[in-house]
Amino acid sequence: MHAKTLSELPHPSGRVPLLGDIRSVDRHRPTQHEAHLARELGPIFQRLLLRDRLVVVGGAKLAKETLDEQSWGRVLVGPLAKLREIVTSGLFTARSSDPLWGQARRILTPGFSQAAMRAYHHAMQTVADDLAVKWKEDPDVDVHSDMTAATLEIIGRAGFSTPMGLLGDHAAASQGTDAFVAALSRVLAWASESTNDLPVIGPIREVFAAPGIRRDVNYVRGFVDDIIERRQKDSSVENDDLLGLMLTTRDTETGELLPVENVRDQVLTFLAAGHETTAALLEVALYHLAADPSVGDLIVAEELSDGAALDYDEVVRLRRIKALINECLRLCPPAPGFFRIARSDQELGGYLVPAGRAVFVLSLAAQRDPAVWGADADEFRADRFLGKRLTASSPEFFAPWGTGPRSCIGRQFAIHETTLLTGALLSKYRLTLDKPVELRLRERATLRPEPFRIVATPRGRTR
Ligand code: MNH
């Protein structure tokens, strides 16, 4: 058996001498474009940008092979490498070899246990209640802005015991949170777009963007410092939330506390990683519920018939909503892919991937691969995951939370908040689209719906 070299991989047509496959670059929707290319070019292909060859793995079978931790590992390239310039050693952007990564992961893991979710439930519930009140006053819902507010409030109230001033009674206390959201989103856009630029264009753009970005980064850091300082001064808060863990827990292995500069990186990481992805997921779920209200009617009839507030255990048992959320994660993974690096020479789909070479695993394509998901792979079917148990040996590729030791630490947190919010809102409101719109996704390191509106009509309380 002789494997072919990566230079022999199929590539998009229209390759230009010297510049490579520039015609195939869609700066604003790069991963959606790559998912199209995967249908055309097969389960593994290349995109050449000047001298950089991006190897894209979009077939379920090959993508699944890269999950093997013996042969493949995680690597910081692409937008992640860019974000390192801003948050050097937060959990997301720290190298696995950085001792601070292991230390922070060990310190923070109890903050995501089942017991911790039970403790966060109430704070999450208050956000669901605030949203329900807001929708009662104004049933014409701007989904993007409400989900940004809800997810930031949840990470703020549950994770940092700090209301963010975006919803509810706290809205009056809004202290620069809107400016924080705007600055953070510009920074994320910068990190993602500059990665997709050709290297020749990149540095020029960066020079122009630099003063603005620097101002945004400083603003975001100041906002985070305020949260930390307020906690350090306030002895009335119990230190049992994420911020408390970061500031007061010693690592079991090293006996060390996290350095304060690192806590800064972590708070920013959780505010960013915790809201943008979860908001994207909620928006996709609300879109599908509003596009076909019968789906929500069925869920309400089966799981939410009494319309009462949901306690922790009830949320855990909402299997139809969980299935719906998994279907949203499959079709529109907020993190559309991740990088894997070959630990030793690997053969992938008949090609030799030499040790140290990174490939981009495109979940967005592999989670829609008809070879394993069936002919209706592109269709939204709310009950596709009902009663389905995926294991390591199932043929289906499904990795919206990433893989291995660097997979999402916030997974249970995100699942609990999306299930609770969806359940709470659905039990009170019937959702519809005011006019038919397509779900369009924009990319800013995450895959997130473009803004759309839904109408929230109170359900009759007669049932
Ligand atoms: Mn999250 C890592 C997806 C919600 C905090 N997250 C990852 C990775 C994926 C991911 C994929 C791995 C990326 C990679 O390998 O390059 N995360 C999601 C999705 C949602 C999400 C789809 C919601 C939906 N994440 C959250 C929430 C939090 C969070 C909520 C915090 C409260 N995620 C993280 C952190 C990491 C991470 C921190 C980095 C973990 C590590 O490297 O140790």
Side-chain angles (χ1 to χ4, degrees), residues 86-116:
I86 300 158
V87 268
T88 325
S89 50
L91 266 184
F92 209 93
T93 43
R95 293 187 205 285
S96 301
S97 56
D98 181 345
L100 277 176
W101 174 73
Q103 198 179 319
R105 185 97 193 188
R106 286 187 295 273
I107 286 176
L108 283 162
T109 294
F112 293 95
S113 65
Q114 216 185 71

PDB file of all heavy atoms in Angstrom, residues 86-116:
ATOM      1  N   ILE A  86      -4.436  38.027  22.290  1.00  0.00           N
ATOM      2  CA  ILE A  86      -5.240  38.797  23.237  1.00  0.00           C
ATOM      3  C   ILE A  86      -5.373  38.085  24.582  1.00  0.00           C
ATOM      4  O   ILE A  86      -5.191  38.683  25.626  1.00  0.00           O
ATOM      5  CB  ILE A  86      -6.636  39.069  22.641  1.00  0.00           C
ATOM      6  CG1 ILE A  86      -6.472  39.866  21.354  1.00  0.00           C
ATOM      7  CG2 ILE A  86      -7.499  39.819  23.635  1.00  0.00           C
ATOM      8  CD1 ILE A  86      -7.639  39.745  20.440  1.00  0.00           C
ATOM      9  N   VAL A  87      -5.722  36.797  24.538  1.00  0.00           N
ATOM     10  CA  VAL A  87      -5.789  36.011  25.776  1.00  0.00           C
ATOM     11  C   VAL A  87      -4.768  34.890  25.672  1.00  0.00           C
ATOM     12  O   VAL A  87      -5.033  33.860  25.078  1.00  0.00           O
ATOM     13  CB  VAL A  87      -7.186  35.381  26.029  1.00  0.00           C
ATOM     14  CG1 VAL A  87      -8.046  36.287  26.858  1.00  0.00           C
ATOM     15  CG2 VAL A  87      -7.891  35.024  24.736  1.00  0.00           C
ATOM     16  N   THR A  88      -3.602  35.125  26.268  1.00  0.00           N
ATOM     17  CA  THR A  88      -2.482  34.203  26.076  1.00  0.00           C
ATOM     18  C   THR A  88      -2.740  32.841  26.693  1.00  0.00           C
ATOM     19  O   THR A  88      -2.493  31.822  26.075  1.00  0.00           O
ATOM     20  CB  THR A  88      -1.212  34.791  26.727  1.00  0.00           C
ATOM     21  OG1 THR A  88      -1.281  36.201  26.562  1.00  0.00           O
ATOM     22  CG2 THR A  88       0.023  34.243  26.101  1.00  0.00           C
ATOM     23  N   SER A  89      -3.231  32.837  27.935  1.00  0.00           N
ATOM     24  CA  SER A  89      -3.308  31.525  28.564  1.00  0.00           C
ATOM     25  C   SER A  89      -4.625  31.267  29.274  1.00  0.00           C
ATOM     26  O   SER A  89      -4.669  30.700  30.343  1.00  0.00           O
ATOM     27  CB  SER A  89      -2.131  31.314  29.511  1.00  0.00           C
ATOM     28  OG  SER A  89      -2.014  32.428  30.365  1.00  0.00           O
ATOM     29  N   GLY A  90      -5.713  31.692  28.628  1.00  0.00           N
ATOM     30  CA  GLY A  90      -7.030  31.224  29.065  1.00  0.00           C
ATOM     31  C   GLY A  90      -7.138  29.761  28.676  1.00  0.00           C
ATOM     32  O   GLY A  90      -6.361  29.270  27.845  1.00  0.00           O
ATOM     33  N   LEU A  91      -8.123  29.037  29.244  1.00  0.00           N
ATOM     34  CA  LEU A  91      -8.265  27.607  28.951  1.00  0.00           C
ATOM     35  C   LEU A  91      -8.297  27.324  27.457  1.00  0.00           C
ATOM     36  O   LEU A  91      -7.700  26.373  26.975  1.00  0.00           O
ATOM     37  CB  LEU A  91      -9.580  27.093  29.538  1.00  0.00           C
ATOM     38  CG  LEU A  91      -9.543  26.475  30.925  1.00  0.00           C
ATOM     39  CD1 LEU A  91     -10.921  25.934  31.265  1.00  0.00           C
ATOM     40  CD2 LEU A  91      -8.507  25.357  30.982  1.00  0.00           C
ATOM     41  N   PHE A  92      -9.001  28.167  26.717  1.00  0.00           N
ATOM     42  CA  PHE A  92      -9.218  27.916  25.294  1.00  0.00           C
ATOM     43  C   PHE A  92      -7.945  28.087  24.483  1.00  0.00           C
ATOM     44  O   PHE A  92      -7.681  27.341  23.549  1.00  0.00           O
ATOM     45  CB  PHE A  92     -10.268  28.913  24.787  1.00  0.00           C
ATOM     46  CG  PHE A  92     -11.089  28.405  23.646  1.00  0.00           C
ATOM     47  CD1 PHE A  92     -12.287  27.773  23.885  1.00  0.00           C
ATOM     48  CD2 PHE A  92     -10.664  28.561  22.340  1.00  0.00           C
ATOM     49  CE1 PHE A  92     -13.052  27.297  22.848  1.00  0.00           C
ATOM     50  CE2 PHE A  92     -11.428  28.090  21.286  1.00  0.00           C
ATOM     51  CZ  PHE A  92     -12.626  27.455  21.544  1.00  0.00           C
ATOM     52  N   THR A  93      -7.146  29.104  24.849  1.00  0.00           N
ATOM     53  CA  THR A  93      -6.019  29.481  23.992  1.00  0.00           C
ATOM     54  C   THR A  93      -4.661  29.039  24.532  1.00  0.00           C
ATOM     55  O   THR A  93      -3.654  29.211  23.853  1.00  0.00           O
ATOM     56  CB  THR A  93      -6.001  31.012  23.809  1.00  0.00           C
ATOM     57  OG1 THR A  93      -6.266  31.622  25.064  1.00  0.00           O
ATOM     58  CG2 THR A  93      -7.051  31.452  22.808  1.00  0.00           C
ATOM     59  N   ALA A  94      -4.622  28.479  25.756  1.00  0.00           N
ATOM     60  CA  ALA A  94      -3.333  28.025  26.296  1.00  0.00           C
ATOM     61  C   ALA A  94      -2.871  26.765  25.557  1.00  0.00           C
ATOM     62  O   ALA A  94      -3.686  25.945  25.148  1.00  0.00           O
ATOM     63  CB  ALA A  94      -3.471  27.722  27.783  1.00  0.00           C
ATOM     64  N   ARG A  95      -1.576  26.632  25.369  1.00  0.00           N
ATOM     65  CA  ARG A  95      -1.053  25.382  24.811  1.00  0.00           C
ATOM     66  C   ARG A  95      -1.226  24.277  25.849  1.00  0.00           C
ATOM     67  O   ARG A  95      -1.119  24.526  27.050  1.00  0.00           O
ATOM     68  CB  ARG A  95       0.432  25.517  24.500  1.00  0.00           C
ATOM     69  CG  ARG A  95       0.726  26.480  23.389  1.00  0.00           C
ATOM     70  CD  ARG A  95       2.211  26.409  23.026  1.00  0.00           C
ATOM     71  NE  ARG A  95       2.655  27.649  22.427  1.00  0.00           N
ATOM     72  CZ  ARG A  95       2.382  28.030  21.180  1.00  0.00           C
ATOM     73  NH1 ARG A  95       1.653  27.247  20.394  1.00  0.00           N
ATOM     74  NH2 ARG A  95       2.813  29.174  20.704  1.00  0.00           N
ATOM     75  N   SER A  96      -1.443  23.050  25.361  1.00  0.00           N
ATOM     76  CA  SER A  96      -1.615  21.934  26.307  1.00  0.00           C
ATOM     77  C   SER A  96      -0.359  21.755  27.150  1.00  0.00           C
ATOM     78  O   SER A  96      -0.413  21.257  28.274  1.00  0.00           O
ATOM     79  CB  SER A  96      -1.913  20.639  25.553  1.00  0.00           C
ATOM     80  OG  SER A  96      -3.087  20.784  24.793  1.00  0.00           O
ATOM     81  N   SER A  97       0.798  22.160  26.618  1.00  0.00           N
ATOM     82  CA  SER A  97       2.064  22.004  27.347  1.00  0.00           C
ATOM     83  C   SER A  97       2.249  23.087  28.417  1.00  0.00           C
ATOM     84  O   SER A  97       3.122  22.974  29.263  1.00  0.00           O
ATOM     85  CB  SER A  97       3.231  22.053  26.364  1.00  0.00           C
ATOM     86  OG  SER A  97       3.177  23.271  25.624  1.00  0.00           O
ATOM     87  N   ASP A  98       1.427  24.136  28.368  1.00  0.00           N
ATOM     88  CA  ASP A  98       1.514  25.210  29.362  1.00  0.00           C
ATOM     89  C   ASP A  98       0.960  24.683  30.692  1.00  0.00           C
ATOM     90  O   ASP A  98      -0.199  24.269  30.756  1.00  0.00           O
ATOM     91  CB  ASP A  98       0.674  26.401  28.860  1.00  0.00           C
ATOM     92  CG  ASP A  98       0.709  27.607  29.799  1.00  0.00           C
ATOM     93  OD1 ASP A  98       1.126  27.451  30.961  1.00  0.00           O
ATOM     94  OD2 ASP A  98       0.301  28.695  29.345  1.00  0.00           O
ATOM     95  N   PRO A  99       1.781  24.677  31.765  1.00  0.00           N
ATOM     96  CA  PRO A  99       1.301  24.137  33.050  1.00  0.00           C
ATOM     97  C   PRO A  99       0.018  24.821  33.516  1.00  0.00           C
ATOM     98  O   PRO A  99      -0.800  24.210  34.200  1.00  0.00           O
ATOM     99  CB  PRO A  99       2.438  24.449  34.027  1.00  0.00           C
ATOM    100  CG  PRO A  99       3.630  24.757  33.191  1.00  0.00           C
ATOM    101  CD  PRO A  99       3.164  25.173  31.840  1.00  0.00           C
ATOM    102  N   LEU A 100      -0.166  26.078  33.107  1.00  0.00           N
ATOM    103  CA  LEU A 100      -1.377  26.794  33.527  1.00  0.00           C
ATOM    104  C   LEU A 100      -2.636  26.187  32.927  1.00  0.00           C
ATOM    105  O   LEU A 100      -3.721  26.315  33.484  1.00  0.00           O
ATOM    106  CB  LEU A 100      -1.292  28.272  33.126  1.00  0.00           C
ATOM    107  CG  LEU A 100      -0.511  29.177  34.072  1.00  0.00           C
ATOM    108  CD1 LEU A 100      -0.427  30.580  33.482  1.00  0.00           C
ATOM    109  CD2 LEU A 100      -1.157  29.211  35.460  1.00  0.00           C
ATOM    110  N   TRP A 101      -2.503  25.532  31.769  1.00  0.00           N
ATOM    111  CA  TRP A 101      -3.696  24.912  31.194  1.00  0.00           C
ATOM    112  C   TRP A 101      -4.206  23.802  32.117  1.00  0.00           C
ATOM    113  O   TRP A 101      -5.367  23.798  32.527  1.00  0.00           O
ATOM    114  CB  TRP A 101      -3.470  24.356  29.771  1.00  0.00           C
ATOM    115  CG  TRP A 101      -4.706  23.602  29.333  1.00  0.00           C
ATOM    116  CD1 TRP A 101      -5.895  24.157  28.964  1.00  0.00           C
ATOM    117  CD2 TRP A 101      -4.890  22.184  29.345  1.00  0.00           C
ATOM    118  NE1 TRP A 101      -6.824  23.163  28.739  1.00  0.00           N
ATOM    119  CE2 TRP A 101      -6.238  21.944  28.965  1.00  0.00           C
ATOM    120  CE3 TRP A 101      -4.067  21.094  29.642  1.00  0.00           C
ATOM    121  CZ2 TRP A 101      -6.761  20.662  28.867  1.00  0.00           C
ATOM    122  CZ3 TRP A 101      -4.600  19.812  29.539  1.00  0.00           C
ATOM    123  CH2 TRP A 101      -5.935  19.607  29.153  1.00  0.00           C
ATOM    124  N   GLY A 102      -3.322  22.862  32.472  1.00  0.00           N
ATOM    125  CA  GLY A 102      -3.715  21.739  33.328  1.00  0.00           C
ATOM    126  C   GLY A 102      -4.219  22.226  34.679  1.00  0.00           C
ATOM    127  O   GLY A 102      -5.225  21.750  35.197  1.00  0.00           O
ATOM    128  N   GLN A 103      -3.499  23.219  35.212  1.00  0.00           N
ATOM    129  CA  GLN A 103      -3.864  23.753  36.523  1.00  0.00           C
ATOM    130  C   GLN A 103      -5.278  24.352  36.485  1.00  0.00           C
ATOM    131  O   GLN A 103      -6.122  24.051  37.336  1.00  0.00           O
ATOM    132  CB  GLN A 103      -2.845  24.827  36.908  1.00  0.00           C
ATOM    133  CG  GLN A 103      -2.830  25.161  38.366  1.00  0.00           C
ATOM    134  CD  GLN A 103      -1.767  26.218  38.677  1.00  0.00           C
ATOM    135  OE1 GLN A 103      -0.651  26.177  38.137  1.00  0.00           O
ATOM    136  NE2 GLN A 103      -2.105  27.163  39.519  1.00  0.00           N
ATOM    137  N   ALA A 104      -5.535  25.177  35.480  1.00  0.00           N
ATOM    138  CA  ALA A 104      -6.854  25.816  35.385  1.00  0.00           C
ATOM    139  C   ALA A 104      -7.935  24.769  35.105  1.00  0.00           C
ATOM    140  O   ALA A 104      -9.039  24.838  35.655  1.00  0.00           O
ATOM    141  CB  ALA A 104      -6.841  26.884  34.288  1.00  0.00           C
ATOM    142  N   ARG A 105      -7.617  23.793  34.264  1.00  0.00           N
ATOM    143  CA  ARG A 105      -8.629  22.783  33.926  1.00  0.00           C
ATOM    144  C   ARG A 105      -9.006  21.996  35.188  1.00  0.00           C
ATOM    145  O   ARG A 105     -10.180  21.738  35.438  1.00  0.00           O
ATOM    146  CB  ARG A 105      -8.103  21.878  32.803  1.00  0.00           C
ATOM    147  CG  ARG A 105      -9.072  20.853  32.266  1.00  0.00           C
ATOM    148  CD  ARG A 105      -9.797  21.286  30.992  1.00  0.00           C
ATOM    149  NE  ARG A 105     -10.919  20.391  30.710  1.00  0.00           N
ATOM    150  CZ  ARG A 105     -11.661  20.389  29.613  1.00  0.00           C
ATOM    151  NH1 ARG A 105     -11.427  21.247  28.645  1.00  0.00           N
ATOM    152  NH2 ARG A 105     -12.656  19.562  29.460  1.00  0.00           N
ATOM    153  N   ARG A 106      -7.993  21.635  35.999  1.00  0.00           N
ATOM    154  CA  ARG A 106      -8.282  20.886  37.236  1.00  0.00           C
ATOM    155  C   ARG A 106      -9.075  21.745  38.224  1.00  0.00           C
ATOM    156  O   ARG A 106     -10.021  21.275  38.855  1.00  0.00           O
ATOM    157  CB  ARG A 106      -6.974  20.407  37.882  1.00  0.00           C
ATOM    158  CG  ARG A 106      -6.323  19.230  37.147  1.00  0.00           C
ATOM    159  CD  ARG A 106      -5.132  18.680  37.931  1.00  0.00           C
ATOM    160  NE  ARG A 106      -4.038  19.643  38.049  1.00  0.00           N
ATOM    161  CZ  ARG A 106      -3.049  19.803  37.155  1.00  0.00           C
ATOM    162  NH1 ARG A 106      -3.016  19.043  36.058  1.00  0.00           N
ATOM    163  NH2 ARG A 106      -2.104  20.704  37.338  1.00  0.00           N
ATOM    164  N   ILE A 107      -8.693  23.001  38.342  1.00  0.00           N
ATOM    165  CA  ILE A 107      -9.377  23.888  39.294  1.00  0.00           C
ATOM    166  C   ILE A 107     -10.827  24.128  38.875  1.00  0.00           C
ATOM    167  O   ILE A 107     -11.728  24.189  39.706  1.00  0.00           O
ATOM    168  CB  ILE A 107      -8.602  25.222  39.429  1.00  0.00           C
ATOM    169  CG1 ILE A 107      -7.328  24.992  40.247  1.00  0.00           C
ATOM    170  CG2 ILE A 107      -9.472  26.314  40.052  1.00  0.00           C
ATOM    171  CD1 ILE A 107      -6.428  26.220  40.360  1.00  0.00           C
ATOM    172  N   LEU A 108     -11.055  24.247  37.558  1.00  0.00           N
ATOM    173  CA  LEU A 108     -12.392  24.632  37.098  1.00  0.00           C
ATOM    174  C   LEU A 108     -13.335  23.467  36.842  1.00  0.00           C
ATOM    175  O   LEU A 108     -14.551  23.655  36.789  1.00  0.00           O
ATOM    176  CB  LEU A 108     -12.268  25.505  35.847  1.00  0.00           C
ATOM    177  CG  LEU A 108     -11.843  26.935  36.198  1.00  0.00           C
ATOM    178  CD1 LEU A 108     -11.293  27.661  34.990  1.00  0.00           C
ATOM    179  CD2 LEU A 108     -13.027  27.694  36.784  1.00  0.00           C
ATOM    180  N   THR A 109     -12.791  22.248  36.704  1.00  0.00           N
ATOM    181  CA  THR A 109     -13.663  21.109  36.401  1.00  0.00           C
ATOM    182  C   THR A 109     -14.812  20.937  37.402  1.00  0.00           C
ATOM    183  O   THR A 109     -15.955  20.724  36.992  1.00  0.00           O
ATOM    184  CB  THR A 109     -12.825  19.821  36.224  1.00  0.00           C
ATOM    185  OG1 THR A 109     -12.026  19.993  35.052  1.00  0.00           O
ATOM    186  CG2 THR A 109     -13.698  18.588  36.050  1.00  0.00           C
ATOM    187  N   PRO A 110     -14.567  21.071  38.731  1.00  0.00           N
ATOM    188  CA  PRO A 110     -15.704  20.954  39.664  1.00  0.00           C
ATOM    189  C   PRO A 110     -16.781  22.010  39.407  1.00  0.00           C
ATOM    190  O   PRO A 110     -17.934  21.805  39.756  1.00  0.00           O
ATOM    191  CB  PRO A 110     -15.068  21.179  41.043  1.00  0.00           C
ATOM    192  CG  PRO A 110     -13.596  20.973  40.859  1.00  0.00           C
ATOM    193  CD  PRO A 110     -13.285  21.277  39.439  1.00  0.00           C
ATOM    194  N   GLY A 111     -16.413  23.127  38.792  1.00  0.00           N
ATOM    195  CA  GLY A 111     -17.377  24.175  38.467  1.00  0.00           C
ATOM    196  C   GLY A 111     -18.340  23.765  37.360  1.00  0.00           C
ATOM    197  O   GLY A 111     -19.266  24.509  37.039  1.00  0.00           O
ATOM    198  N   PHE A 112     -18.099  22.595  36.770  1.00  0.00           N
ATOM    199  CA  PHE A 112     -18.992  22.115  35.712  1.00  0.00           C
ATOM    200  C   PHE A 112     -19.566  20.743  36.025  1.00  0.00           C
ATOM    201  O   PHE A 112     -20.055  20.045  35.150  1.00  0.00           O
ATOM    202  CB  PHE A 112     -18.247  22.104  34.365  1.00  0.00           C
ATOM    203  CG  PHE A 112     -17.916  23.499  33.903  1.00  0.00           C
ATOM    204  CD1 PHE A 112     -16.691  24.057  34.171  1.00  0.00           C
ATOM    205  CD2 PHE A 112     -18.879  24.260  33.256  1.00  0.00           C
ATOM    206  CE1 PHE A 112     -16.396  25.360  33.790  1.00  0.00           C
ATOM    207  CE2 PHE A 112     -18.595  25.558  32.871  1.00  0.00           C
ATOM    208  CZ  PHE A 112     -17.357  26.112  33.135  1.00  0.00           C
ATOM    209  N   SER A 113     -19.491  20.351  37.293  1.00  0.00           N
ATOM    210  CA  SER A 113     -20.048  19.062  37.706  1.00  0.00           C
ATOM    211  C   SER A 113     -21.571  19.150  37.782  1.00  0.00           C
ATOM    212  O   SER A 113     -22.147  20.235  37.695  1.00  0.00           O
ATOM    213  CB  SER A 113     -19.513  18.703  39.095  1.00  0.00           C
ATOM    214  OG  SER A 113     -20.004  19.672  40.014  1.00  0.00           O
ATOM    215  N   GLN A 114     -22.197  17.994  37.970  1.00  0.00           N
ATOM    216  CA  GLN A 114     -23.650  17.972  38.102  1.00  0.00           C
ATOM    217  C   GLN A 114     -24.106  18.808  39.301  1.00  0.00           C
ATOM    218  O   GLN A 114     -25.086  19.551  39.216  1.00  0.00           O
ATOM    219  CB  GLN A 114     -24.089  16.528  38.287  1.00  0.00           C
ATOM    220  CG  GLN A 114     -25.398  16.234  37.599  1.00  0.00           C
ATOM    221  CD  GLN A 114     -25.858  14.825  37.920  1.00  0.00           C
ATOM    222  OE1 GLN A 114     -26.263  14.536  39.039  1.00  0.00           O
ATOM    223  NE2 GLN A 114     -25.784  13.950  36.924  1.00  0.00           N
ATOM    224  N   ALA A 115     -23.354  18.703  40.396  1.00  0.00           N
ATOM    225  CA  ALA A 115     -23.705  19.481  41.597  1.00  0.00           C
ATOM    226  C   ALA A 115     -23.646  20.974  41.282  1.00  0.00           C
ATOM    227  O   ALA A 115     -24.485  21.760  41.731  1.00  0.00           O
ATOM    228  CB  ALA A 115     -22.753  19.131  42.738  1.00  0.00           C
ATOM    229  N   ALA A 116     -22.652  21.366  40.488  1.00  0.00           N
ATOM    230  CA  ALA A 116     -22.528  22.777  40.138  1.00  0.00           C
ATOM    231  C   ALA A 116     -23.720  23.224  39.288  1.00  0.00           C
ATOM    232  O   ALA A 116     -24.276  24.303  39.500  1.00  0.00           O
ATOM    233  CB  ALA A 116     -21.215  23.008  39.397  1.00  0.00           C
TER     234      ALA A 116
END
